[in-house]
Amino acid sequence: MLTPNATVRRTGLATAVVLLSTPLLWGARLRPQPSGGLLGNSASGPGSAPWNILVLLTLLTLLPALVLSMTPFVRLLVVFHFLRQALGTQSTPSNQTLIGLSLVLTYFLMQPVAAAIQQSAVVPFEKGQLDAMAAVERGAGPLRHFMLRYAREKDLSLFQELAKEPRPARPEDLTMRVVMPAYILSELKAGFQIGAALYLPFMVIDMVVAAITTSIGMFQLPPVVISTPLKILLFVMVDGWNLLVGSLIKSFG
Protein backbone atom coordinates (compact mmCIF):
# COMPACT_ATOMS: atom_id res chain seq x y z
CA MET A 1 0.00 0.00 0.00
CA LEU A 2 1.44 3.37 -1.04
CA THR A 3 2.17 5.88 1.70
CA PRO A 4 1.06 9.51 1.25
CA ASN A 5 4.65 10.55 0.53
CA ALA A 6 5.01 7.89 -2.16
CA THR A 7 1.75 8.98 -3.75
CA VAL A 8 2.90 12.59 -3.80
CA ARG A 9 6.22 11.60 -5.36
CA ARG A 10 4.53 9.55 -8.08
CA THR A 11 2.05 12.30 -8.85
CA GLY A 12 4.81 14.90 -9.01
CA LEU A 13 6.94 12.73 -11.28
CA ALA A 14 4.01 12.05 -13.62
CA THR A 15 3.33 15.79 -13.81
CA ALA A 16 6.99 16.47 -14.53
CA VAL A 17 6.96 13.92 -17.34
CA VAL A 18 3.98 15.63 -18.97
CA LEU A 19 5.46 19.10 -18.50
CA LEU A 20 8.87 18.20 -19.88
CA SER A 21 7.69 16.10 -22.83
CA THR A 22 7.01 18.97 -25.20
CA PRO A 23 10.25 20.95 -25.09
CA LEU A 24 12.39 17.84 -25.07
CA LEU A 25 10.66 16.39 -28.10
CA TRP A 26 11.03 19.72 -29.88
CA GLY A 27 14.78 19.45 -29.37
CA ALA A 28 15.06 22.03 -26.62
CA ARG A 29 17.54 19.95 -24.63
CA LEU A 30 20.06 21.70 -22.49
CA ARG A 31 23.62 21.38 -23.76
CA PRO A 32 26.09 19.48 -21.57
CA GLN A 33 28.28 21.74 -19.47
CA PRO A 34 32.01 21.81 -20.21
CA SER A 35 34.34 21.04 -17.38
CA GLY A 36 36.06 23.89 -15.62
CA GLY A 37 33.74 25.16 -12.94
CA LEU A 38 30.11 25.88 -12.37
CA LEU A 39 29.91 28.48 -15.12
CA GLY A 40 31.94 26.50 -17.62
CA ASN A 41 34.85 27.77 -19.70
CA SER A 42 32.97 30.78 -21.10
CA ALA A 43 30.31 32.49 -19.04
CA SER A 44 28.98 34.32 -22.08
CA GLY A 45 28.93 31.42 -24.53
CA PRO A 46 25.78 29.62 -25.69
CA GLY A 47 26.68 26.55 -23.65
CA SER A 48 27.24 28.36 -20.38
CA ALA A 49 25.22 27.66 -17.24
CA PRO A 50 23.56 31.13 -17.08
CA TRP A 51 22.32 30.74 -20.65
CA ASN A 52 20.91 27.29 -19.92
CA ILE A 53 19.21 28.58 -16.76
CA LEU A 54 17.64 31.42 -18.76
CA VAL A 55 16.30 28.96 -21.36
CA LEU A 56 14.99 26.63 -18.65
CA LEU A 57 13.16 29.43 -16.80
CA THR A 58 11.64 30.65 -20.07
CA LEU A 59 10.37 27.15 -20.85
CA LEU A 60 8.95 26.78 -17.36
CA THR A 61 7.02 30.02 -17.88
CA LEU A 62 5.48 28.75 -21.12
CA LEU A 63 4.89 25.15 -20.06
CA PRO A 64 1.56 25.67 -18.20
CA ALA A 65 -0.02 27.26 -21.28
CA LEU A 66 1.43 24.54 -23.51
CA VAL A 67 0.19 21.71 -21.30
CA LEU A 68 -3.29 23.22 -21.06
CA SER A 69 -3.31 23.47 -24.86
CA MET A 70 -2.52 19.75 -25.10
CA THR A 71 -5.61 18.77 -23.07
CA PRO A 72 -9.41 19.18 -23.41
CA PHE A 73 -9.14 22.43 -21.45
CA VAL A 74 -9.34 24.51 -24.66
CA ARG A 75 -12.65 23.06 -25.86
CA LEU A 76 -14.23 23.13 -22.40
CA LEU A 77 -13.37 26.74 -21.69
CA VAL A 78 -14.54 27.95 -25.12
CA VAL A 79 -17.91 26.22 -24.70
CA PHE A 80 -18.42 27.61 -21.20
CA HIS A 81 -17.72 31.15 -22.37
CA PHE A 82 -20.19 30.70 -25.23
CA LEU A 83 -22.77 29.52 -22.69
CA ARG A 84 -22.27 32.59 -20.52
CA GLN A 85 -22.67 34.90 -23.51
CA ALA A 86 -25.77 33.04 -24.68
CA LEU A 87 -27.39 33.32 -21.26
CA GLY A 88 -26.70 37.05 -21.21
CA THR A 89 -25.00 36.98 -17.79
CA GLN A 90 -21.95 39.17 -18.24
CA SER A 91 -19.85 37.95 -15.31
CA THR A 92 -21.78 35.01 -13.84
CA PRO A 93 -20.28 32.46 -13.54
CA SER A 94 -17.02 34.33 -13.09
CA ASN A 95 -13.91 33.60 -15.12
CA GLN A 96 -12.31 31.91 -12.11
CA THR A 97 -15.31 29.60 -11.76
CA LEU A 98 -15.28 28.63 -15.43
CA ILE A 99 -11.53 28.05 -15.41
CA GLY A 100 -11.78 25.96 -12.25
CA LEU A 101 -14.59 23.85 -13.70
CA SER A 102 -12.61 23.38 -16.91
CA LEU A 103 -9.55 22.28 -14.93
CA VAL A 104 -11.55 19.77 -12.87
CA LEU A 105 -13.13 18.27 -16.00
CA THR A 106 -9.73 18.24 -17.70
CA TYR A 107 -8.33 16.25 -14.79
CA PHE A 108 -11.28 13.85 -15.04
CA LEU A 109 -10.71 13.32 -18.78
CA MET A 110 -6.91 13.11 -18.64
CA GLN A 111 -6.74 10.61 -15.76
CA PRO A 112 -6.46 7.56 -18.11
CA VAL A 113 -3.67 9.31 -20.02
CA ALA A 114 -1.87 10.10 -16.76
CA ALA A 115 -2.24 6.46 -15.69
CA ALA A 116 -0.74 5.31 -18.99
CA ILE A 117 2.17 7.73 -18.54
CA GLN A 118 2.73 6.40 -15.05
CA GLN A 119 2.81 2.77 -16.21
CA SER A 120 5.00 3.38 -19.24
CA ALA A 121 7.41 5.98 -17.87
CA VAL A 122 7.13 6.69 -14.14
CA VAL A 123 7.18 3.10 -12.85
CA PRO A 124 10.20 2.03 -14.98
CA PHE A 125 11.99 5.22 -13.94
CA GLU A 126 11.40 4.50 -10.25
CA LYS A 127 12.74 0.97 -10.74
CA GLY A 128 15.87 2.29 -12.43
CA GLN A 129 15.03 0.74 -15.80
CA LEU A 130 14.99 4.12 -17.58
CA ASP A 131 16.92 7.32 -17.18
CA ALA A 132 15.13 10.66 -16.93
CA MET A 133 15.44 11.51 -20.63
CA ALA A 134 14.13 8.13 -21.80
CA ALA A 135 11.25 8.33 -19.30
CA VAL A 136 10.23 11.74 -20.62
CA GLU A 137 10.29 10.58 -24.24
CA ARG A 138 8.34 7.40 -23.45
CA GLY A 139 5.83 9.33 -21.36
CA ALA A 140 5.07 11.59 -24.32
CA GLY A 141 3.66 8.63 -26.28
CA PRO A 142 0.23 8.41 -24.55
CA LEU A 143 -0.13 12.19 -24.75
CA ARG A 144 0.58 12.16 -28.49
CA HIS A 145 -1.88 9.31 -28.99
CA PHE A 146 -4.58 11.28 -27.14
CA MET A 147 -4.08 14.37 -29.28
CA LEU A 148 -4.06 12.37 -32.51
CA ARG A 149 -7.52 10.95 -31.65
CA TYR A 150 -9.08 14.42 -31.81
CA ALA A 151 -6.85 16.25 -34.28
CA ARG A 152 -8.40 16.60 -37.72
CA GLU A 153 -6.55 15.16 -40.68
CA LYS A 154 -6.90 18.49 -42.48
CA ASP A 155 -5.10 20.33 -39.69
CA LEU A 156 -2.40 17.68 -39.45
CA SER A 157 -1.78 17.93 -43.20
CA LEU A 158 -1.61 21.72 -42.97
CA PHE A 159 1.10 21.81 -40.33
CA GLN A 160 2.98 18.91 -41.86
CA GLU A 161 3.13 20.86 -45.10
CA LEU A 162 4.17 24.06 -43.32
CA ALA A 163 6.87 22.19 -41.40
CA LYS A 164 8.15 20.66 -44.67
CA GLU A 165 8.37 17.24 -43.07
CA PRO A 166 8.07 14.01 -45.08
CA ARG A 167 4.77 12.16 -44.87
CA PRO A 168 5.09 9.47 -42.18
CA ALA A 169 4.02 5.87 -42.61
CA ARG A 170 1.51 6.21 -39.76
CA PRO A 171 0.07 9.09 -37.72
CA GLU A 172 1.98 8.01 -34.60
CA ASP A 173 5.22 8.95 -36.36
CA LEU A 174 4.24 12.63 -36.58
CA THR A 175 6.32 14.95 -34.45
CA MET A 176 4.91 17.00 -31.61
CA ARG A 177 5.74 20.09 -33.67
CA VAL A 178 2.96 19.05 -36.05
CA VAL A 179 0.55 17.35 -33.66
CA MET A 180 0.28 20.13 -31.07
CA PRO A 181 -0.87 23.05 -33.26
CA ALA A 182 -3.14 20.73 -35.26
CA TYR A 183 -4.77 19.53 -32.04
CA ILE A 184 -5.30 23.09 -30.79
CA LEU A 185 -6.96 24.15 -34.06
CA SER A 186 -9.19 21.08 -34.02
CA GLU A 187 -10.25 21.75 -30.43
CA LEU A 188 -11.02 25.39 -31.21
CA LYS A 189 -13.17 24.35 -34.17
CA ALA A 190 -15.02 21.76 -32.05
CA GLY A 191 -15.55 24.31 -29.27
CA PHE A 192 -16.98 26.89 -31.67
CA GLN A 193 -19.27 24.28 -33.26
CA ILE A 194 -20.68 23.27 -29.87
CA GLY A 195 -20.95 26.91 -28.82
CA ALA A 196 -22.86 27.87 -31.97
CA ALA A 197 -25.32 25.00 -31.47
CA LEU A 198 -25.67 26.06 -27.83
CA TYR A 199 -26.33 29.66 -28.81
CA LEU A 200 -29.28 28.95 -31.14
CA PRO A 201 -32.09 28.18 -28.62
CA PHE A 202 -31.21 31.21 -26.51
CA MET A 203 -31.10 33.41 -29.61
CA VAL A 204 -34.63 32.23 -30.48
CA ILE A 205 -35.80 33.35 -27.03
CA ASP A 206 -34.21 36.77 -27.58
CA MET A 207 -35.92 37.13 -30.96
CA VAL A 208 -39.33 36.11 -29.63
CA VAL A 209 -39.11 38.46 -26.66
CA ALA A 210 -37.92 41.33 -28.86
CA ALA A 211 -40.78 40.73 -31.33
CA ILE A 212 -43.41 40.63 -28.57
CA THR A 213 -42.17 43.72 -26.75
CA THR A 214 -41.96 45.68 -30.01
CA SER A 215 -45.43 44.62 -31.15
CA ILE A 216 -47.11 45.73 -27.91
CA GLY A 217 -45.16 48.97 -27.80
CA MET A 218 -43.17 48.22 -24.65
CA PHE A 219 -40.17 50.46 -25.13
CA GLN A 220 -39.56 51.29 -21.46
CA LEU A 221 -37.42 48.18 -20.91
CA PRO A 222 -34.84 46.70 -23.28
CA PRO A 223 -35.80 43.20 -24.50
CA VAL A 224 -32.65 41.74 -22.93
CA VAL A 225 -33.91 42.67 -19.46
CA ILE A 226 -36.92 40.40 -20.00
CA SER A 227 -35.25 37.62 -21.98
CA THR A 228 -32.32 37.06 -19.61
CA PRO A 229 -34.44 35.76 -16.68
CA LEU A 230 -36.41 33.60 -19.10
CA LYS A 231 -33.23 32.06 -20.49
CA ILE A 232 -31.83 31.40 -17.03
CA LEU A 233 -35.14 29.84 -15.94
CA LEU A 234 -35.22 27.60 -19.01
CA PHE A 235 -31.60 26.55 -18.48
CA VAL A 236 -32.27 25.64 -14.86
CA MET A 237 -35.52 23.80 -15.63
CA VAL A 238 -33.89 21.49 -18.17
CA ASP A 239 -30.91 20.89 -15.82
CA GLY A 240 -28.61 22.54 -18.33
CA TRP A 241 -25.32 22.09 -16.49
CA ASN A 242 -25.85 18.35 -16.25
CA LEU A 243 -26.76 18.07 -19.92
CA LEU A 244 -23.92 20.29 -21.09
CA VAL A 245 -21.17 18.70 -19.00
CA GLY A 246 -22.41 15.21 -19.85
CA SER A 247 -22.41 16.00 -23.56
CA LEU A 248 -18.91 17.48 -23.37
CA ILE A 249 -17.52 14.45 -21.53
CA LYS A 250 -19.17 12.10 -24.05
CA SER A 251 -17.66 14.06 -26.93
CA PHE A 252 -14.26 12.78 -25.75
CA GLY A 253 -15.49 9.20 -25.43
Side-chain angles (χ1 to χ4, degrees), residues 178-221:
V178 173
V179 176
M180 276 192 57
Y183 172 76
I184 297 172
L185 282 188
S186 302
E187 287 296 283
L188 286 175
K189 177 179 174 60
F192 272 74
Q193 287 177 333
I194 298 173
L198 191 63
Y199 221 104
L200 290 177
F202 298 108
M203 185 176 64
V204 171
I205 296 177
D206 287 331
M207 294 174 61
V208 171
V209 171
I212 293 175
T213 55
T214 303
S215 63
I216 65 177
M218 185 184 294
F219 299 105
Q220 293 83 1
L221 291 176

Side-chain angles (χ1 to χ4, degrees), residues 204-252:
V204 171
I205 296 177
D206 287 331
M207 294 174 61
V208 171
V209 171
I212 293 175
T213 55
T214 303
S215 63
I216 65 177
M218 185 184 294
F219 299 105
Q220 293 83 1
L221 291 176
V224 67
V225 176
I226 302 175
S227 63
T228 298
L230 294 177
K231 291 187 291 185
I232 296 175
L233 181 61
L234 174 64
F235 188 73
V236 172
M237 288 179 60
V238 300
D239 199 3
W241 285 111
N242 183 279
L243 293 176
L244 178 62
V245 172
S247 300
L248 285 173
I249 297 297
K250 292 176 182 177
S251 68
F252 289 96

Side-chain angles (χ1 to χ4, degrees), residues 2 7 13 20 22 28 39-40 46 50 67 69 72 101 122 144 174 196 198 204 207 224 229 245:
L2 293 177
T7 304
L13 186 55
L20 294 176
T22 303
L39 299 180
V67 172
S69 300
L101 178 59
V122 178
R144 182 192 291 108
L174 289 169
L198 191 63
V204 171
M207 294 174 61
V224 67
V245 172

Side-chain angles (χ1 to χ4, degrees), residues 107-127:
Y107 168 76
F108 178 83
L109 290 168
M110 293 299 292
Q111 187 179 11
V113 179
I117 292 175
Q118 180 178 355
Q119 292 298 323
S120 62
V122 178
V123 173
F125 178 79
E126 289 181 342
K127 294 181 178 179

Side-chain angles (χ1 to χ4, degrees), residues 78-97:
V78 168
V79 172
F80 290 148
H81 276 286
F82 266 106
L83 172 65
R84 187 173 65 181
Q85 292 296 324
L87 287 173
T89 55
Q90 299 299 323
S91 58
T92 305
S94 63
N95 289 332
Q96 292 82 355
T97 303

